[in-house]
Amino acid sequence: MTLEQRLAQIKIVPVIAINHAQQALPLAKVLMDNGLPCAEITFRTEAAQEAIRLMREAYPEMLIGAGTVLTTAQVDQAQQAGADFIVSPGLNPTTVKYCQQRGIAIVPGVNNPSLVEQAMELGLRTLKFFPAEPSGGVAMLKALSAVYPVKFMPTGGISAANVQHYLDLPSVVACGGTWMVPTDLMDKGDWPAIAKLVREL
């Protein structure tokens, strides 16, 4: 099954900034037990690589992405930890080609026609639309989808209130969001509250 097919099945990708690696396993358990077998662990914190490694060991079947990947060194760290795919905020041809050479899928961020065309030139057909809401939201996605044969994973400003508007678009395979995995609840260890947010999806 391709990454696009797996994302289309899951529909929602929790985008997670983990401050402490020991949060990884209880979080993964909450996601798996409540019907969301997926996580995008962002490289915005020092714990990212170890968190991915722990999740991968405990849940081999989980779909795990490494987010906010800005350098080829981070690609190496993510791949060594067991990430299934890479997500970047923007379109960096160096990072894209590096991932392609190493056989790991990448979903780079785009938010205008020129970037979509550059991504297509690099052979990519599944792209992150980021930051979704500040970049024109659903209206901008409709305009891009009318002319480009690509699929999008909108992220940035997505919430429980607007996620369905995005998922209703044929060009959207999944949405990324943070609302069901708030960092403050993770830091408090309030796993029942996170479980409730995940179930509400």
Side-chain angles (χ1 to χ4, degrees):
M1 194 182 290
T2 65
L3 174 62
E4 185 182 305
Q5 288 167 331
R6 292 184 74 182
L7 290 171
Q9 277 186 340
I10 291 165
K11 296 284 186 213
I12 305 285
V13 178
V15 180
I16 304 157
I18 286 191
N19 289 324
H20 308 286
Q22 64 263 32
Q23 296 169 338
L25 289 183
L27 175 62
K29 185 175 190 320
V30 164
L31 293 171
M32 295 293 289
D33 288 353
N34 291 280
L36 196 56
C38 178
E40 178 190 321
I41 306 298
T42 69
F43 269 73
R44 280 181 264 176
T45 69
E46 293 293 314
Q49 184 178 11
E50 180 65 4
I52 291 171
R53 189 187 69 75
L54 290 169
M55 284 183 167
R56 171 55 65 226
E57 281 182 2
Y59 298 100
E61 71 280 22
M62 193 174 191
L63 181 63
I64 304 174
T68 322
V69 171
L70 304 177
T71 66
T72 54
Q74 288 175 330
V75 172
D76 288 340
Q77 290 171 6
Q79 200 165 21
Q80 285 160 14
D84 294 302
F85 64 104
I86 303 294
V87 183
S88 58
L91 178 67
N92 181 333
T94 301
T95 308
V96 170
K97 289 172 185 170
Y98 192 80
C99 288
Q100 289 170 333
Q101 287 163 8
R102 272 145 191 79
I104 187 166
I106 180 168
V107 183
V110 300
N111 72 343
N112 65 53
S114 296
L115 290 172
V116 174
E117 292 193 18
Q118 287 178 49
M120 290 177 66
E121 185 73 15
L122 289 162
L124 301 173
R125 292 295 179 272
T126 304
L127 308 172
K128 174 176 172 168
F129 179 59
F130 179 81
E133 281 289 289
S135 300
V138 169
M140 181 62 156
L141 267 181
K142 283 180 178 174
L144 292 173
S145 303
V147 287
Y148 297 117
V150 297
K151 298 291 186 183
F152 293 101
M153 181 173 77
T155 308
I158 311 280
S159 68
N162 64 12
V163 65
Q164 196 57 51
H165 300 306
Y166 284 94
L167 290 174
D168 286 342
L169 299 178
S171 61
V172 170
V173 287
C175 287
T178 58
W179 78 91
M180 78 301 293
V181 280
T183 302
D184 61 328
L185 289 182
M186 281 192 287
D187 287 344
K188 282 189 244 176
D190 193 347
W191 306 112
I194 294 175
K196 182 173 180 288
L197 289 169
V198 173
R199 276 197 307 275
E200 284 169 0
L201 283 174

